[in-house]
Amino acid sequence: MTSQPLTRRRARFVPLLIAVILLALATGCSGTVQEDFSPSPFPVGDGELREDSAGGALAPRQAPDAVQREVIRHATMTIQVPDPAAASQEAAEAAQRAGGRIDHRTERPPTSQSVGSASLTMRVPADRLDPVIEQLRALGTVSELTISSSDVTIQVVDLDARIDALATSVSRLQEIMGTATSAEDLIAAETALAERQAQLDGLRSQREHLADQVDLSTLDLYLAQ
């Protein structure tokens, strides 16, 4: 006589538990999946302003000292060379020796209306960017060199926290599916799980791309006669 009431109470409890988990996660993770790499509510780098507790004064938000700083470096370089095609090959070899790669390479032979030129998009390990630039100086006369850095430490910390929260959500929903007592409960859990898993996969993809940008600096090289 007591099994039916207990079964009914358990059936009501499972969807209620799902609702409670989703509500809690919505509070902490709602709107966190971003298509680009601008973290919410944090911007890239240390430029965000926060209100000082002393009363209205603004100060830049700082990443925790214990967190390893993550920096994306990008360089643009223009060199005047006698033979752009030959210089392009030397530049590509320099990138490969440094453990990098060439993402894009274009060579244009000289014509009656234009001089020869070449352009390369090089990806080199971040700690090898400066040595590679020094090697490229030997190709000819440097007419332009720009190096920029973007600190994305706060963005990385924020993204990692979101990934951890969604991974926990996925694990809990998988446990709920294992204890579902009705088709309705199972479908509700599967639907919630599919949604959270898709969000988790998207954030992990963003994190991998961001890690690639930090690990490999980009060097846009233009060579002309």
Side-chain angles (χ1 to χ4, degrees):
M1 295 298 290
T2 60
S3 60
Q4 291 183 354
L6 287 175
T7 300
R8 286 196 297 270
R9 287 198 296 271
R10 187 178 184 183
R12 291 195 298 269
F13 174 74
V14 172
L16 177 60
L17 180 58
I18 295 175
V20 170
I21 290 176
L22 293 180
L23 178 60
L25 288 168
T27 303
C29 300
S30 128
T32 58
V33 177
Q34 304 290 329
E35 294 299 327
D36 57 17
F37 291 98
S38 297
S40 176
F42 306 125
V44 174
D46 290 333
E48 182 187 358
L49 297 180
R50 57 184 173 82
E51 184 172 348
D52 190 280
S53 59
L58 295 180
R61 179 186 295 274
Q62 300 294 329
D65 294 337
V67 176
Q68 178 181 350
R69 305 202 69 80
E70 305 283 352
V71 179
I72 296 175
R73 301 186 70 200
H74 181 273
T76 302
M77 194 173 190
T78 301
I79 307 177
Q80 303 296 323
V81 296
D83 186 343
S88 174
Q89 181 60 34
E90 292 184 43
E93 293 174 356
Q96 293 168 354
R97 286 195 301 269
R101 67 175 189 262
I102 305 300
D103 280 358
H104 175 77
R105 180 176 176 181
T106 301
E107 296 179 3
R108 301 178 182 84
T111 66
S112 58
Q113 298 180 345
S114 63
V115 298
S117 65
S119 60
L120 301 91
T121 298
M122 310 162 64
R123 302 294 307 283
V124 298
D127 60 350
R128 299 294 301 164
L129 178 61
D130 293 332
V132 168
I133 288 176
E134 291 306 311
Q135 293 179 40
L136 297 179
R137 288 182 183 275
L139 296 177
T141 302
V142 177
S143 58
E144 180 183 0
L145 173 61
T146 302
I147 303 175
S148 61
S149 298
S150 178
D151 190 327
V152 293
T153 306
I154 293 178
Q155 185 174 345
V156 170
V157 172
D158 181 53
L159 195 55
D160 285 344
R162 299 178 190 181
I163 290 173
D164 289 343
L166 279 172
T168 299
S169 171
V170 167
S171 297
R172 289 177 179 173
L173 287 170
Q174 288 172 339
E175 294 175 0
I176 290 175
M177 287 178 58
T179 60
T181 58
S182 68
E184 180 181 2
D185 296 340
L186 184 60
I187 292 174
E190 287 178 343
T191 301
L193 178 60
E195 177 184 353
R196 291 295 172 178
Q197 187 64 57
Q199 294 176 356
L200 179 59
D201 292 343
L203 289 181
R204 283 174 172 167
S205 178
Q206 291 182 27
R207 182 66 177 87
E208 291 174 3
H209 180 77
L210 189 59
D212 177 73
Q213 295 297 308
V214 171
D215 294 340
L216 295 177
S217 297
T218 302
L219 171 57
D220 292 320
L221 177 64
Y222 181 71
L223 303 165
Q225 290 180 321

